[in-house]
Amino acid sequence: MNRSRLITTGVAGLIAFAAVEIVTVVSPSAQQPAAGQVTFAKDVVPILQRSCQNCHRPGSVAPFSLLTYEEARPWAKSIKNRIQKREMPPWTLDKNVGIQEFKNDISLSDAEIAKVVKWVDSGAPLGNIADMPKPLQFEDPRIWHIGNGKPDLIVSMPKPFRVPAVGADVTLEFLAETGLTEDRYIKEIETKPDPKGFKVVHHAALDLVEPGAGLDASRENYGMGGQRSFLSEYALGKDADIFPADTGRLVKKGSKVNFNMHYYSTGEEVESTTSVGMVFYPKGYVPKHVVVTQHMGENADLDVPAGTVSRVDGYVMLSQNAQLVMIQPHMHSRGVRQCTEAIIPQTSGEVSRGNGSKTERTTLNCINFDMNWNIAYSYKEDAAPVLPKGTILHVMSWYDNTASKFNADSKNWVGNGPRSVDIMSYQWMSFFYLSDEEYAQKLKERALKAKLTNHN
Ligand code: HEC
């Protein structure tokens, strides 16, 4: 039986081989016109639209536009180079470990990268214009994405800032009144520069400053019940934060908003103001969950000798069950990588690993740090870590104090400090607490979903 099968296959194989030979000789290309050919119109434009054009268009942060074939073609080799190294689009999250479902993920898949590389290697052809998707319509940058275009409250920097045509990056703070006379909970929030500002605002980090809080309030004041707490952040490409159902962030009456602004010069002088828009829950309404954003796993005992790479560990225990919403490393220029693992207590004995261990360790995410891109990674609701009380979050940070383009001086020891040439070690995390019932319910829903999606 095996033998006859072998023979059959052999014969079929021979015939197929012969056929291919003949076709090749008779007509090298006419048989397969454009099959397998990758073109700009059909294959590349959809990728540029999703992952590049928000930055690579006139008036935005990138130095050249990728809207048309004529604009993109001269950059083909450079595009191949940058996307293969995963330097573009900026997305420094390690794709080989941890959770991968993020609301703001603009990264390319391996298949998309392969497609663009093939396009470049085959001479970057335009292809058939009829295959081109409709050009994106970039909306009026004054439009708010929250509250159907009408936030309940808009707070702006008290005066515009003039960014010089030429100069070093600057970081500045501006304090503005909210004018709120009662406590309110935010349902939706969006921060953005005015239209001219998109080019020069690298990022904006906004804090709430409660009445009586000193402006240089120390980090102990971050978080719940503190006097100064994280409010919102802007980096290009980010629209709005819409909190999950019945979840919000508290703004106490009389609070001010502190705008921490990072600008860069672009060759022309630009005067610009940044604003934050908020949509509130109805007056007097307290949502079930309050989102808090704070430094987690902080370690100030940093010691990185000259010419070395060091790891630093920070730990924080969750006093209640919690769902994580967002993570963002904070390291400064010598930071290269930050990983977070959850050390989860096992009380039920369901997890039996034969090693008598009463905890389970799981890596949530690793992020390769790059000072230039302050990306806040926002989990998709269904994939966000849901952790029981008693979980220890372990933040591991690596600092490279050897000679590199980001290191101003590799001959010096570095330690903890606020300047960008010092180092700091913590992770920003947004989260909200869950009651025991809600926690149990979430786990149940997820188990059910896993069962439904893994039915094969
Ligand atoms: C968040 C904004 C942003 C996004 C999204 C983005 N870029 Fe960029 N890109 C920049 C900025 C800013 C620079 C200049 C700084 C630098 O070179 O890193 C740049 C530089 C580049 C360069 C280097 C040009 C040179 O000088 O050689 C290439 C190529 C490039 N981008 C291609 C892309 C492609 C392709 C995509 C999408 C797959 C993309 N970028 C997405 C902001 C962005």
Side-chain angles (χ1 to χ4, degrees):
M1 190 180 103
N2 280 344
R3 199 183 146 84
S4 72
R5 218 212 200 141
L6 259 182
I7 289 168
T8 325
T9 319
V11 171
L14 270 179
I15 292 169
F17 185 68
V20 168
E21 281 288 276
I22 291 161
V23 168
T24 321
V25 171
V26 172
S27 164
S29 61
Q31 289 286 334
Q32 293 210 327
Q37 197 190 15
V38 177
T39 70
F40 184 77
K42 181 161 55 69
D43 307 285
V44 178
V45 175
I47 296 172
L48 299 182
Q49 288 188 340
R50 182 175 67 86
S51 296
C52 319
Q53 291 183 352
N54 198 23
C55 294
H56 286 271
R57 64 186 159 103
S60 193
V61 285
F64 57 96
S65 167
L66 290 174
L67 294 186
T68 66
Y69 181 68
E70 288 68 32
E71 287 166 338
R73 179 65 188 82
W75 294 100
K77 285 225 163 67
S78 177
I79 289 173
K80 171 180 162 182
N81 176 27
R82 291 294 194 104
I83 65 169
Q84 271 183 323
K85 289 197 227 147
R86 288 202 175 275
E87 290 173 357
M88 284 287 148
W91 184 259
T92 61
L93 186 109
D94 189 326
K95 290 173 90 81
N96 299 310
V97 60
I99 300 163
Q100 296 298 322
E101 288 85 21
F102 290 88
K103 285 188 206 160
N104 55 332
D105 188 356
I106 52 163
S107 67
L108 304 187
S109 66
D110 290 343
E112 285 171 322
I113 293 176
K115 215 182 239 184
V116 178
V117 167
K118 194 170 171 195
W119 172 67
V120 176
D121 289 346
S122 59
L126 169 62
N128 187 349
I129 297 198
D131 291 336
M132 198 90 91
K134 273 216 305 260
L136 288 189
Q137 292 298 317
F138 294 99
E139 56 196 20
D140 183 337
R142 287 163 300 189
I143 288 176
W144 292 94
H145 295 89
I146 55 174
N148 292 322
K150 282 208 183 72
D152 297 327
L153 178 69
I154 297 174
V155 180
S156 300
M157 280 162 41
K159 55 179 196 294
F161 178 69
R162 189 174 298 158
V163 185
V166 183
D169 290 19
V170 279
T171 303
L172 293 161
E173 310 231 317
F174 302 85
L175 195 63
E177 301 284 345
T178 60
L180 279 183
T181 53
E182 55 203 316
D183 293 0
R184 296 296 294 269
Y185 286 90
I186 300 170
K187 198 175 176 184
E188 304 176 1
I189 184 163
E190 179 177 5
T191 300
K192 63 177 174 187
D194 57 18
K196 291 168 294 178
F198 284 102
K199 235 180 144 64
V200 291
V201 176
H202 184 290
H203 90 277
L206 277 55
D207 278 349
L208 278 173
V209 183
E210 289 173 15
L215 247 193
D216 50 20
S218 70
R219 61 176 180 272
E220 283 79 35
N221 286 331
Y222 275 100
M224 231 167 187
Q227 297 187 306
R228 186 174 171 164
S229 61
F230 176 90
L231 175 66
S232 167
E233 188 182 46
Y234 161 84
L236 197 97
K238 183 166 172 193
D239 286 349
D241 271 327
I242 296 173
F243 294 120
D246 222 352
T247 302
R249 193 188 288 289
L250 172 63
V251 192
K252 289 204 178 149
K253 69 176 175 200
S255 294
K256 298 181 171 116
V257 174
N258 186 60
F259 291 80
N260 178 295
M261 303 294 303
H262 179 181
Y263 296 103
Y264 43 27
S265 294
T266 55
E268 67 179 297
E269 187 179 274
V270 176
E271 200 175 74
S272 141
T273 306
T274 292
S275 305
V276 56
M278 305 173 211
V279 173
F280 296 122
Y281 284 95
K283 277 186 189 170
Y285 185 82
V286 179
K288 208 147 89 183
H289 300 128
V290 179
V291 173
V292 195
T293 304
Q294 61 186 35
H295 301 183
M296 299 285 261
E298 181 142 18
N299 189 340
D301 188 14
L302 308 181
D303 172 13
V304 185
T308 64
V309 177
S310 286
R311 179 175 129 186
V312 171
D313 297 272
Y315 299 88
V316 62
M317 192 171 84
L318 294 174
S319 60
Q320 299 180 44
N321 311 313
Q323 175 168 334
L324 303 191
V325 175
M326 179 280 291
I327 55 168
Q328 177 174 9
H330 188 95
M331 307 184 77
H332 295 188
S333 56
R334 287 181 182 85
V336 285
R337 186 170 167 90
Q338 193 167 71
C339 292
T340 309
E341 74 168 349
I343 305 172
I344 303 171
Q346 301 295 322
T347 47
S348 64
E350 280 160 16
V351 174
S352 96
R353 308 200 128 190
N355 60 4
S357 166
K358 283 279 192 290
T359 57
E360 177 165 290
R361 306 168 80 115
T362 171
T363 300
L364 299 180
N365 281 106
C366 286
I367 298 167
N368 295 317
F369 188 72
D370 180 342
M371 257 297 255
N372 288 323
W373 301 110
N374 274 285
I375 304 173
Y377 295 88
S378 298
Y379 290 110
K380 280 190 184 160
E381 174 81 17
D382 284 357
V386 170
L387 302 164
K389 62 175 153 247
T391 295
I392 294 167
L393 292 167
H394 174 198
V395 177
M396 289 159 270
S397 306
W398 284 266
Y399 297 87
D400 183 351
N401 198 14
T402 64
S404 85
K405 67 174 174 171
F406 293 115
N407 196 348
D409 182 3
S410 61
K411 293 197 172 66
N412 258 322
W413 171 90
V414 283
N416 192 55
R419 301 171 306 164
S420 66
V421 293
D422 303 321
I423 51 177
M424 283 186 105
S425 184
Y426 60 83
Q427 190 158 82
W428 281 112
M429 285 190 194
S430 297
F431 58 91
F432 54 85
Y433 290 133
L434 300 167
S435 68
D436 288 346
E437 297 75 47
E438 289 166 334
Y439 173 74
Q441 181 62 24
K442 287 246 176 196
L443 289 198
K444 228 198 237 158
E445 284 166 15
R446 291 199 173 185
L448 185 67
K449 202 175 143 242
K451 217 161 137 191
L452 290 175
T453 45
N454 295 336
H455 51 79
N456 290 333

